[in-house]
Amino acid sequence: MTQDELKTLVGQAALSQVSPGTIVGVGTGSTVNKFIDALATMKDRIAGAVSSSQASTVRLQALGIPVLDCNEVDELAVYVDGADEIDHKGFMIKGGGAALTREKIVAAQSRRFVCIADESKLVQALGAFPLPVEIIPMARARLIRQFAALGAQASVRLKDGQPLVTDNGQHILDVRGLQITDPVNFELEVSQWPGVVTVGVFALQKAQVCLLGTAQGVRTLTF
Ligand code: 5RP
């Protein structure tokens, strides 16, 4: 199976995690797009969605799924999202689609994080994928120096030759050369650096379940 077919497989499998009548937390990315397409087949049986990005909102609404503001709903039963890396404890790197801040907000509001991913995303240790960090632009140069002091190389993510601007009006650093052996403490520490909006390590909001697309079918990992 191709990577795209594996994404379709887990996107459809994630419907099993959605209870009729509920509001669903929806992440961002190409794997989540498959989930959104699948969710449209049961749109009359859910109460709507809370979205983690403008891109997902547009797709949900185009398929006739109502999108609610985070502030209008209480706890969500489930949040379904992809990952750039997930380890064997359910810790993840996210933010390849630049939506990490809103993803972390919706994840924090949800009882269960269901990660959907193809098997290429499962890793022994986090850090091979460049770590996305959403930052306030004014802090860019100092934050690049702070990552350099950890032995890592941070660079501003560009789009069409200019710094990419997130849904929140901020910029993204992609940080290479990190070995994240203690994701919880790493997330706690970097989150406190002035100018960091969100670090793309999801350890405090880790996955409870991962539906992993493999050549043999969907593997369910629980953490
Ligand atoms: C977006 C994300 C995505 O979940 C992550 O980048 C995975 O994307 P894809 O499903 O396209 O591989 O964190 O900010």
Side-chain angles (χ1 to χ4, degrees):
M1 265 191 270
T2 64
Q3 192 179 31
D4 192 65
E5 288 166 338
L6 293 178
K7 290 180 182 190
T8 302
L9 194 67
V10 292
Q12 292 173 344
L15 290 186
S16 65
Q17 306 288 319
V18 176
S19 303
T22 59
I23 300 166
V24 185
V26 176
T28 298
S30 57
T31 316
V32 166
N33 283 345
K34 308 290 191 179
F35 170 64
I36 295 174
D37 294 348
L39 196 60
T41 66
M42 62 179 292
K43 66 180 173 195
D44 297 328
R45 283 180 286 135
I46 58 170
V50 168
S51 167
S52 63
S53 64
Q54 303 282 11
S56 289
T57 297
V58 166
R59 196 176 187 96
L60 286 159
Q61 289 176 336
L63 291 167
I65 300 171
V67 176
L68 304 168
D69 189 294
C70 246
N71 295 301
E72 292 171 6
V73 302
D74 295 327
E75 195 180 55
L76 298 167
V78 71
Y79 176 63
V80 178
D81 200 356
D84 298 303
E85 288 184 346
I86 181 163
D87 73 9
H88 290 270
K89 291 184 175 161
F91 298 142
M92 295 167 285
I93 284 183
K94 292 184 45 53
L100 62 164
T101 296
R102 295 185 185 204
E103 291 173 343
K104 211 172 256 195
I105 291 169
V106 185
Q109 199 170 342
S110 307
R111 277 202 300 280
R112 268 158 71 84
F113 189 133
V114 175
C115 176
I116 51 176
D118 66 84
E119 58 191 343
S120 70
K121 307 291 184 68
L122 186 64
V123 298
Q124 292 300 327
L126 301 178
F129 187 90
L131 176 70
V133 182
E134 185 165 357
I135 63 156
I136 305 284
M138 178 187 173
R140 180 194 68 242
R142 186 178 42 75
L143 288 171
I144 289 174
R145 288 196 294 273
Q146 277 194 265
F147 280 114
L150 297 183
Q153 306 83 46
S155 56
V156 177
R157 190 181 300 180
L158 301 179
K159 186 181 177 193
D160 303 327
Q162 296 298 318
L164 177 146
V165 179
T166 68
D167 286 353
N168 312 305
Q170 309 304 338
H171 292 175
I172 299 281
L173 289 182
D174 290 306
V175 188
R176 293 172 173 77
L178 289 167
Q179 286 173 348
I180 305 171
T181 51
D182 183 350
V184 170
N185 278 317
F186 184 91
E187 181 179 1
L188 286 170
E189 185 192 331
V190 176
S191 298
Q192 292 182 51
W193 292 0
V196 168
V197 178
T198 301
V199 58
V201 170
F202 280 55
L204 302 172
Q205 274 86 43
K206 69 172 199 151
Q208 276 72 49
V209 177
C210 178
L211 303 178
L212 194 71
T214 76
Q216 291 74 41
V218 178
R219 263 178 75 196
T220 302
L221 313 178
T222 52
F223 310 105

